[in-house]
């Protein structure tokens, strides 16, 4: 997997998400920007879906989670700056349960710069995979 190209794709999606969040639903550009975001996400899943699914299977295995593996875009953070992660935003990534951490709320999040999958617990983050 080309880590540089993967990172560029993640960054493009996160920038488009930020652009969309900055608009009001009544903004004339909203629907066009939303469509551009969906196109970027579709292209991302098509380009990296199979490889990232394998990565996500390994990650789920590391934490002993039998949760369903979703499309890679479901795991994407919502911004480049990680502010939502720092603030404990419940909408980041995908909630998972783990036999390794029973009763602990956690999420898997795909972030950029460099591309990596984080395990986000209440007060910490652990890198479970990093693109090379």
């Amino acid at each position: 997997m080309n880590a540089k190209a993967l990172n560029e794709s993640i960054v493009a999606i996160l920038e488009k998400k930020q652009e969309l969040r900055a608009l009001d639903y009544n903004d004339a550009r909203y629907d066009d920007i939303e469509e551009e975001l969906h196109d970027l996400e579709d292209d991302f899943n098509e380009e990296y879906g199979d490889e990232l699914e394998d990565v996500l299977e390994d990650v789920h295995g590391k934490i002993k989670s039998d949760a369903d593996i979703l499309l890679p875009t479901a795991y994407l953070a919502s911004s480049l700056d990680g502010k939502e992660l720092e603030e404990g935003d419940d909408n980041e990534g995908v909630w998972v349960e783990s036999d390794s951490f029973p009763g602990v709320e956690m999420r898997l999040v795909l972030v950029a710069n460099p591309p990596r999958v984080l395990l986000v617990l209440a007060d910490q983050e652990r890198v479970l995979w990093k693109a090379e």
Side-chain angles (χ1 to χ4, degrees):
M1 179 178 326
N2 181 331
K4 182 179 179 193
L6 174 62
N7 193 65
E8 289 171 357
S9 293
I10 293 171
V11 168
I13 291 171
L14 297 182
E15 286 175 342
K16 194 59 70 176
K17 282 183 175 186
Q18 287 178 301
E19 184 179 351
L20 186 62
R21 264 196 319 278
L23 298 176
D24 183 80
Y25 288 117
N26 296 324
D27 190 301
R29 300 170 294 160
Y30 190 91
D31 288 341
D32 291 337
I33 300 298
E34 185 177 43
E35 184 63 33
E36 290 172 19
L37 173 61
H38 292 311
D39 289 345
L40 287 171
E41 290 173 333
D42 290 345
D43 292 346
F44 181 84
N45 285 327
E46 186 175 317
E47 177 72 24
Y48 300 104
D50 290 340
E51 291 175 281
L52 286 175
E53 183 176 312
D54 291 341
V55 166
L56 292 166
E57 284 180 16
D58 290 343
V59 166
H60 278 252
K62 285 180 185 178
I63 62 170
K64 296 183 174 76
S65 173
D66 60 0
D68 290 338
I69 296 170
L70 306 178
L71 289 173
T73 49
Y75 296 84
L76 283 171
S78 58
S79 70
L80 279 171
D81 61 16
K83 185 176 81 173
E84 290 81 4
L85 286 172
E86 292 171 9
E87 295 174 353
D89 189 333
D90 291 346
N91 295 320
E92 291 295 294
V94 173
W95 287 98
V96 293
E97 293 179 357
S98 167
D99 292 340
S100 297
F101 305 96
V104 175
E105 293 184 357
M106 64 185 70
R107 300 180 314 278
L108 293 174
V109 185
L110 178 58
V111 298
N113 299 325
R116 61 202 185 281
V117 174
L118 302 176
L119 174 65
V120 179
L121 302 161
D123 60 347
Q124 61 181 297
E125 298 173 3
R126 296 181 186 177
V127 176
L128 298 181
W129 173 82
K130 182 178 169 185
E132 298 182 12

